[in-house]
Amino acid sequence: MTNALPPTNNNNNGDEEVFDEPPTFIDLNSAVEVKVDDAPAADDDEDAMMDDDEMAHNQHATTNNNAADETTTSNEQPPIIDQSKATFTSHTDAIYAITSHYDAQSNTLYIVSGGGDDRAYLHLITTSNNQAQTKTIPLAHPHTDSISCVALNTPYITNDVSGTTQANQIAVGSYDGSIVLYSTTDGTLLHVFEGPTDVEWARFHPKGGTVLLVGSIA
């Protein structure tokens, strides 16, 4: 092998420039084989080369999940605090009729209720030393349809011309056509009136409470 002449380069001034070191050539017989490890698995390549679209998609999904979590949290309602003085759970179906009267002399609240379970109840709440005592009396008549109306004559009772105080009574009307009178004192059944059709409403006359007015759809 013959050494080539040192390369020259013409600069802007027209002078020849000589390099300090002459070029060196590699003999082909001096080549060395180098073993290269196998390429990484395809999954690793995909993970390592995630493009911008995939990253944007993942960020969008994360944002949506966070928004859904915030919506769920905001929709959660605070627990309801029971502030009732007394609770009655006698009925097994919807309550369709209810009335009440407070007797200041005995410090007792009378409540009459009737519902879709064909039953009527007298509930008593008596307060003593700031403690409420409750009692429930089932009214006995076996109705065959829902209770539609209830009434108390206690608010209207006055002394009649003989000076005798009228009895406290409960009236219960039902869609089976019956009207039943009970004693407000202990729930004793007093009388049953059988009507021809559904009883829609019942109300004691406000003058004395001795007359009961009843209406139906007939």
Side-chain angles (χ1 to χ4, degrees), residues 91 94-97 113-121 141 143 145-150 172-176 178 199:
H91 288 282
I95 297 174
Y96 294 153
S113 62
D117 54 4
D118 307 343
R119 299 300 306 273
Y121 294 91
H141 184 73
H143 291 280
D145 207 339
S146 300
I147 306 301
S148 57
C149 52
V150 293
V172 176
S174 172
Y175 287 136
D176 62 10
S178 63
V199 176

Side-chain angles (χ1 to χ4, degrees), residues 18 23 32 66 69 77 89 101 114 128 130 134 167 170 181 185-186:
V18 179
V32 178
N66 293 338
D69 293 340
Q77 299 296 327
T89 58
H101 174 72
S128 177
N130 294 326
T134 62
I170 301 167
L181 298 180
T185 305
D186 55 8

